[in-house]
Amino acid sequence: RIGAALYDVMSGMMFETAHHRDRTLFQALLEARRQAGGGAVAVEDVTRKPLSHDRLLTGALVLGRVLARGTEPGEAVGLMLPNVNAAAVAFFALQGRGRVPAMLNFSTGSGAVLSACEAACIRTVITSRRFIEQARLGALAAALEGRVRLLYLEDVADSIGPVSKLAGLLARP
């Protein structure tokens, strides 16, 4: 018990003395980009296609404009995506627009995912048709469709034109 109590005290001290603990992860991304440089690798997924800080930020700014439609600042928005670069872009897109990205664990089954959506007041879940198909999550998607709005990244990508991409480049700090 003494060891556990000491651990709690030490962990609390680390948290309390941490710098910038009241900034968002999006703000931390901007700081990391400033420190490492826009060309430095920010994320890399299993496909071995790294994204630089600049590409991650530009993608997040472009995607964020679309994902923010139909949601309110501070609203929790579900993310049901595999661990790929697109998930990181979507996460920071939501963060950058003041939404709360809520990572949904699809492997827990439809009951648990629906309960998580209800508990977090999630009205929109962002996913991918390709992911739903490859992971054989059709039944889960069908269960969600009656309760939340499913927003598929493939549909969003089709709605992003060159003007939106240019606006994302120009909006980059």
Side-chain angles (χ1 to χ4, degrees), residues 69-146:
R69 294 180 195 144
T71 62
E72 299 296 323
E75 181 177 336
V77 178
L79 284 177
M80 192 170 70
L81 296 165
N83 291 330
V84 294
N85 289 345
V89 173
F91 179 90
F92 284 111
L94 292 168
Q95 272 262 313
R97 287 294 177 155
R99 279 40 177 197
V100 179
M103 307 300 287
L104 297 173
N105 185 353
F106 56 88
S107 68
T108 60
S110 59
V113 173
L114 286 168
S115 292
C117 288
E118 187 176 323
C121 300
I122 293 172
R123 298 180 303 136
T124 303
V125 173
I126 298 160
T127 190
S128 159
R129 292 184 197 284
R130 184 172 176 216
F131 171 60
I132 296 294
E133 182 182 309
Q134 288 182 342
R136 296 184 177 105
L137 297 173
L140 174 57
L144 285 170
E145 281 177 343

Side-chain angles (χ1 to χ4, degrees), residues 7-23:
Y7 177 81
D8 289 344
V9 168
M10 296 297 283
S11 296
M13 284 177 35
M14 292 290 289
F15 179 77
E16 291 298 325
T17 59
H19 298 285
H20 311 296
R21 69 174 195 232
D22 52 345
R23 69 180 174 177

Side-chain angles (χ1 to χ4, degrees), residues 28-79:
L29 171 66
L30 294 176
E31 177 64 19
R33 177 176 169 260
R34 189 188 66 70
Q35 288 181 0
V41 173
V43 295
E44 183 175 352
D45 62 18
V46 295
T47 65
R48 295 286 193 212
K49 294 179 184 172
L51 282 182
S52 68
H53 282 95
D54 280 347
R55 288 193 52 136
L56 175 59
L57 182 57
T58 302
L61 292 171
V62 171
L63 187 59
R65 292 178 69 183
V66 178
L67 297 183
R69 294 180 195 144
T71 62
E72 299 296 323
E75 181 177 336
V77 178
L79 284 177

Side-chain angles (χ1 to χ4, degrees), residues 57 61 65 166-173:
L57 182 57
L61 292 171
R65 292 178 69 183
L166 181 60
L169 278 171
L170 295 175
R172 214 170 54 194

